[in-house]
Structure formats: structure tokens, C-alpha cells
Amino acid sequence: MEGGVTKPDKTEFSECFRIIWGKPYIMLLALSAGIGGLLFGYDTGVISGASLYIRDDFQEVERHTWLQETIVSTAVAGAIIGAAFGGWMNDRFGRKKSIMCADLLFMIGSIVMALAPNPWVIITGRLFVGLGVGIVSMTSPLYISEASPARIRGALVSTNGLLLTGGQFLSYLINLAFAKTRGNWRWMLGIAGVPPLVQFILMCFLPESPRWLYGQNRIKEATEILEKIYPANEVEQELKSLQLSIETQKEDEKSTGDGPFSKIKSAFGNKIVRRGLYAGITVQVAQQFVGINTVMYYSPTIVQLAGFASNRTALALSLITTGLNSIGTVFSMLFVDRFGRRRLMIISMIGIIVCLVVLSIMFFQASIHAPIVSVIESNHFGVNSTCFDFKMASSPASWNCMTCLRASSDCAFCANGQNIYNAGACLVADTVTRATCRAQHRTWYTYGCPSKFGILTVLVLGLYILCYAPGMGTVPWIVNSEIYPLRYRGTGGGIAAVSNWVSNLIVSETFLTLTEALGSAGTFLLFAAFSSAGLVAIFFLVPETKGLQFEEVEKMLEKGYRPKLCCSKEGEIKSTS
């Protein structure tokens, strides 16, 4: 919340516990709003496992990569729309009602997906869920931020990130639990309707953001909430800061108007907000183009690309990577207010780039050492079962498993029955041939090939998650909850959230296509290049906001920001923008 200008202090995580112990109401607000992060995380994780079984139930999904990508990315498209309107909803109806609206959308979407008779109804349900995700992705951090004392704001906003990763971990547990249940993917997607119901009920009994209430001239209600958040001797100071902020906002609205389009125009016309948007949009776009949601949306598929064909094995190994994401988020909560937002992001990006390069090398090695395809092995299943492209190949002796899988979506690799690394068969990818292959105690591969590098690849994938979670996983949302002047908080957060979801859509809609065109190695190397560009942009455009009151952030942006080497204290800018 607002406060007087004070010197930034080195807030320890123990300080957060001390304040919450004296004011437990703060944590109640943070955890209740943070369920929005749980919803966000569950939706991100659950589709990665459910899609494995949706492919098995609907042959058209198995055959068409674009349909798989559409099922995954429709939620992202919905999130773009939700985030676009989320800023306006936050300012017009308040943070509380926006969260409750998102809960309703989640529940509707979950029911539609669970009952879907075909892939297109699943896509419709994903659209509803996406709308909810878009709204809650920016509203939950904003609500927590405005209901938190500045010195522990980062740690409390990180609870949203912790619950997000917790939601992802929970989704993989549920995916694994229902893997052998009849209608498995329906249960996986349908259970997503339970957390929003819980949050909706909780929000009915919780207050609106004190900042929004004060702006609606509901001063008594705002004061009552502030008294539950701040020590008695600080409440009056917070009320004065709120009053000053609201008066400034109203003056701006008189000159620019209060409609969403006029606010966007005004935001880009204001140099302070524009500089805030440079930072806010940069970290949100960088967060997506490091490729994290390819891991979250397609984690079991990536594990299969690494050489583990079994759906249950892929889900179990994905559970490990998701658990590491939760652990990394705890580290963010411990250190974000101690070491700062900017430093954590820079260290995180360096680790991400290294891991992506190593992953690229691993997938390249797996590709060139893939088992060869044998004519004898293929003919063992009958000429009609052999992949057509392999039968017509001019030099079938040069084919290996990866050549077979890349030849056509109609081709699959049936591993050798005695040793999966020996020569196998390239067969037609249909349900009958798959059943015949498995009946002979062989392993059926459609995405990746048997690989001795598989376990190393999964370990590096886990290290990638550990590098991502403490920095780029949570900090971009923290930065966007505190980088904008109060009067532009909803608008700025909405613009940045839209940039996040547009980037997410681009990445999630193209990942499988990229792996087909460039191979897994080329795709992860491309993400390493994007991450390198993101690291440079963060270094030059994103200032440190650790421990700063909102007014101090505004004054810093007004002067401008100039980076210094080694993540030292930030200088003041001579910006020309």
C-alpha cells in the first residue's frame, strides 16, 4: 500500500513472519487472493497430462499437431482477452469482483471440458478457462500488493507465485492419480472447477482492496481494512498517501478521460508510465520466450521426446520437474526482498540460457544416436503395417528412429523387443498397429526415440526449472504490481499482462510445429537465443524496486534509470524516451 517516502531497507523473510504474526489478517487476504495463482497453475499443468489421453481418445488429435496446439493454446488466447479487459474491470468494478468473475469463468470452463463429446467442445471450455486465467493473472498479484505493507510486499506477492507452482504440482499429482481411470482426462479437467468454487466462497467474506475503496469515496471501509493491515501509528499516514494519490488520479482523468482507450493513450503519453511499461512489458515477454510454458504445457511430451514413451512414466518424471518449480518459488519468497528483483532476474536468466544450450546439445546427441530402422523388423509386422514413406524410401538403410518419426505424422517407431536401443521397426501410426506392437512387449514411440541421454535430459530440465522459478518465475509479476504509478496500476498491469499472454500464445501455439521443423535441439537453441536477448533487455530497461514505496518508484522513473555493472545500486537516468 501507499506510504511516505522512506529509505529502502533490507527486508528479511523473518520480517514478513514477524509482521504477519502480529497482523494475521494480511496473510488471510494474501492466501485467499493467491488461490487465483493456484487456478492459473493448475490450468497450466493439467492440460499437459490430459492431452496425452485426449490424443488416445480422439484420432484426429493424434494425427494433427495443429489441433493439439490449439487445445493447449486456446486458453492462452482467452487469457489475452481476459487480461485486456482485466485492467478495466479492476478499475471499474474493483479487485474483489474481478476475482469472483474469474472464478465463475473457471467453473463454467471446467464443466464444459469434462463433458466434452469432441475436441472442439474441449476447445470451447478452454476458452472460458483462459478468460478466467487472464483476469486472475493480473488481479491476484494486484490485490495482494495493495493489501500488503511495502517492506514485505515482495514476499507476499510471491505467495501468489508459490500457489501457482503448487497448482502445477497438484495438477500433475491428479493427472497421475487418474491416469488409469476410465474417462481419465475428463476427471483431470473437471476437478479444476473445485478451487474457484472455494475462492468464490472465501471472497464473499473478504473486503475489497482499500486503495480501490478509497477511490470510490468509501473512506470508512478503507480505513477499517488499513487498521487490520498496518500498526495504529501508520494508518493516518497511509490515508494521507491514498488521498494524495486519488486526487492526482482524478486530475489526470479530467484531462485524459477515464475510458480504457483514453487511459491506454494517456499511459503511453506519460513518460513515467511509459518507462514503467518498458520494464513491465520486457520482463513479461522475457518470461515467456525463455520457453517455460513449453515445459509447463508440454512437459510429458518433452519427457517423451527425451526417450520415455510411457504416458505414466512421462507424467511421473514431469511431476519431479513441477515439484522443483515449487521449491524454486520458495527460494524467491526467501530472497526477493533481500537481494532484489533485478538481481534475481539477471541470475535466473543466465542459468536459463546455460540450461537451454545444454538441453539442445542433449537432444542433438539423442537424435544422431537414435536406433536404426530395420527392414526385417518392419516387415515382421507385415507389409501393410510398414510406414509408407519408409517403404518408398530410396535409401532405407540410412533411416533411424528419428527419421521415421519426422517422415510423417502417420509413422511411428516400434522398438526392438530384446533391447530398445537395437534396430526397430518403422510402422503405420494407427491404433491396430500400436496394439500389435505392444502385444509383443515392445515399446511404441510417436514423439521421441529410445535414448541413453534421456535421464540426463530430464535432470537438466529440472535444473532449468530451478533456475527459472526463483527469478523469472515470480519476479515479473512482482515488478508489474509495483512499477506503475497508482493511478495507472490497472491499465499498466493490463497492458503488461496482455503482452505476457500474447507471448505465451506464440510460444505454445508453435512449440510442436517448431520441434517438427527444427527438431528438439534446434527449438531449445532458439529459446536460448531469445533468452539472451531478454537478458540484455532486462539489464538496460528494468530498475530495482526492492523496498521502495510506490511514490519512490514514481520519482525514480521520473528521473530515469541507468544500469550499472554487477547489479549494483541503480543510478539515475538521463533517458531520452
Side-chain angles (χ1 to χ4, degrees):
M1 280 303 300
E2 292 79 3
V5 178
T6 59
K7 185 178 180 179
D9 60 346
K10 293 184 177 180
T11 304
E12 304 285 350
F13 197 63
S14 58
E15 174 76 356
C16 182
F17 279 112
R18 185 187 67 79
I19 293 174
I20 291 171
W21 184 261
K23 296 280 186 179
Y25 189 70
I26 299 172
M27 183 53 76
L28 175 63
L29 295 177
L31 289 177
S32 298
I35 294 176
L38 182 77
L39 300 175
F40 185 174
Y42 187 90
D43 173 73
T44 302
V46 74
I47 193 62
S48 63
S51 61
L52 298 179
Y53 299 98
I54 292 172
R55 290 192 327 230
D56 290 343
D57 278 6
F58 300 110
Q59 194 67 33
E60 60 268 40
V61 178
E62 175 71 36
R63 290 181 177 276
H64 301 294
T65 296
W66 64 268
L67 191 53
Q68 295 178 48
E69 291 173 328
T70 301
I71 290 174
V72 171
S73 59
T74 297
V76 183
I80 295 172
I81 301 171
F85 284 96
W88 171 77
M89 287 180 64
N90 274 289
D91 291 339
R92 182 67 180 271
F93 302 109
R95 288 46 163 155
K96 175 180 174 177
K97 289 182 179 178
S98 296
I99 290 174
M100 295 176 75
C101 176
D103 290 332
L104 291 174
L105 290 167
F106 267 111
M107 286 186 277
I108 293 171
S110 299
I111 293 170
V112 170
M113 288 188 293
L115 301 176
N118 59 61
W120 294 104
V121 177
I122 298 175
I123 290 170
T124 302
R126 293 282 293 165
L127 181 62
F128 277 101
V129 168
L131 290 169
V133 167
I135 295 170
V136 83
S137 67
M138 60 165 298
T139 307
S140 288
L142 182 59
Y143 182 94
I144 297 170
S145 176
E146 294 184 344
S148 305
R151 56 188 179 275
I152 62 168
R153 189 172 60 224
L156 286 178
V157 175
S158 291
T159 61
N160 184 70
L162 178 63
L163 286 169
L164 189 156
T165 56
Q168 291 170 339
F169 186 74
L170 177 65
S171 71
Y172 281 99
L173 281 177
I174 290 177
N175 283 346
L176 199 57
F178 286 106
K180 290 190 174 181
T181 305
R182 184 177 180 182
N184 40 32
W185 62 267
R186 297 183 187 276
W187 286 102
M188 296 171 185
L189 298 176
I191 286 177
V194 176
L197 177 61
V198 173
Q199 186 178 45
F200 186 90
I201 294 171
L202 285 173
M203 294 304 295
C204 288
F205 299 99
L206 293 177
E208 180 54 81
S209 156
R211 197 266 168 195
W212 187 82
L213 288 172
Y214 199 100
Q216 301 299 309
N217 207 30
R218 295 159 64 177
I219 299 173
K220 183 179 178 180
E221 294 177 62
T223 303
E224 290 174 352
I225 299 167
L226 289 174
E227 288 172 348
K228 295 180 180 180
I229 297 173
Y230 286 92
N233 61 339
E234 295 181 17
V235 174
E236 189 62 32
Q237 181 182 3
E238 297 304 315
L239 286 170
K240 288 180 180 178
S241 296
L242 276 172
Q243 181 181 5
L244 178 63
S245 173
I246 297 300
E247 288 175 352
T248 304
Q249 175 180 334
K250 289 181 178 179
E251 289 176 5
D252 286 348
E253 288 178 351
K254 287 180 182 178
S255 60
T256 63
D258 61 351
F261 295 105
S262 59
K263 280 192 172 184
I264 292 173
K265 182 179 179 181
S266 174
F268 281 101
N270 183 309
K271 74 174 182 180
I272 296 174
V273 184
R274 188 169 63 248
R275 288 170 180 167
L277 284 169
Y278 290 161
I281 292 174
T282 292
V283 295
Q284 294 287 32
V285 172
Q287 184 192 61
Q288 294 304 316
F289 274 91
V290 300
I292 184 58
N293 275 323
T294 63
V295 177
M296 292 298 104
Y297 290 138
Y298 300 106
S299 182
T301 301
I302 293 173
V303 172
Q304 289 181 333
L305 288 170
F308 298 92
S310 166
N311 285 352
R312 283 182 61 83
T313 302
L315 286 173
L317 291 173
S318 298
L319 184 63
I320 296 173
T321 61
T322 311
L324 292 174
N325 199 12
S326 298
I327 293 171
T329 305
V330 173
F331 279 105
S332 176
M333 296 178 68
L334 289 170
F335 299 117
V336 69
D337 282 322
R338 182 175 183 178
F339 296 115
R341 288 74 160 128
R342 172 180 160 83
R343 179 180 297 179
L344 276 181
M345 286 192 291
I346 289 175
I347 294 172
S348 177
M349 288 294 282
I350 292 172
I352 286 169
I353 292 167
V354 172
C355 288
L356 286 171
V357 171
V358 174
L359 278 172
S360 178
I361 294 171
M362 291 288 187
F363 279 113
F364 177 73
Q365 290 296 319
S367 176
I368 62 176
H369 291 96
I372 64 172
V373 174
S374 164
V375 175
I376 296 174
E377 282 284 309
S378 300
N379 290 339
H380 167 75
F381 292 90
V383 177
N384 291 335
S385 295
T386 303
C387 171
F388 179 78
D389 288 356
F390 179 66
K391 286 190 294 185
M392 301 302 295
S394 57
S395 56
S398 65
W399 278 47
N400 65 13
C401 169
M402 198 61 67
T403 314
C404 171
L405 297 186
R406 289 179 181 173
S408 168
S409 60
D410 293 329
C411 297
F413 183 79
C414 182
N416 191 290
Q418 297 178 343
N419 187 332
I420 60 172
Y421 304 114
N422 291 340
C426 186
L427 306 176
V428 176
D430 59 33
T431 55
V432 174
T433 309
R434 179 179 63 189
T436 304
C437 172
R438 290 175 175 173
Q440 298 184 20
H441 305 290
R442 296 172 177 241
T443 307
W444 181 259
Y445 291 86
T446 54
Y447 280 90
C449 295
S451 171
K452 296 179 180 179
F453 299 95
I455 193 63
L456 288 176
T457 303
V458 173
L459 289 174
V460 176
L461 191 65
L463 182 60
Y464 163 85
I465 294 291
L466 279 177
C467 291
Y468 168 85
M472 293 307 297
T474 57
V475 176
W477 298 105
I478 297 173
V479 169
N480 274 280
S481 72
E482 57 192 13
I483 195 72
Y484 309 109
L486 290 167
R487 56 193 177 276
Y488 289 102
R489 183 84 42 77
T491 303
I495 293 171
V498 168
S499 70
N500 180 289
W501 287 110
V502 169
S503 304
N504 189 333
L505 177 63
I506 293 170
V507 171
S508 61
E509 182 66 27
T510 59
F511 175 68
L512 294 179
T513 302
L514 283 172
T515 58
E516 289 182 354
L518 303 177
S520 302
T523 301
F524 282 100
L525 193 60
L526 181 64
F527 285 135
F530 287 144
S531 300
S532 300
L535 174 61
V536 173
I538 288 171
F539 181 80
F540 285 103
L541 296 175
V542 184
E544 182 57 75
T545 56
K546 178 191 73 171
L548 298 178
Q549 301 288 345
F550 291 136
E551 291 83 358
E552 292 178 289
V553 174
E554 189 169 345
K555 287 184 178 181
M556 177 178 62
L557 292 173
E558 184 176 11
K559 292 178 181 178
Y561 163 75
R562 180 178 58 210
K564 290 186 178 180
L565 294 176
C566 301
C567 304
S568 58
K569 290 185 178 179
E570 321 310 340
E572 294 179 353
I573 283 192
K574 309 291 182 187
S575 177
T576 58
S577 59

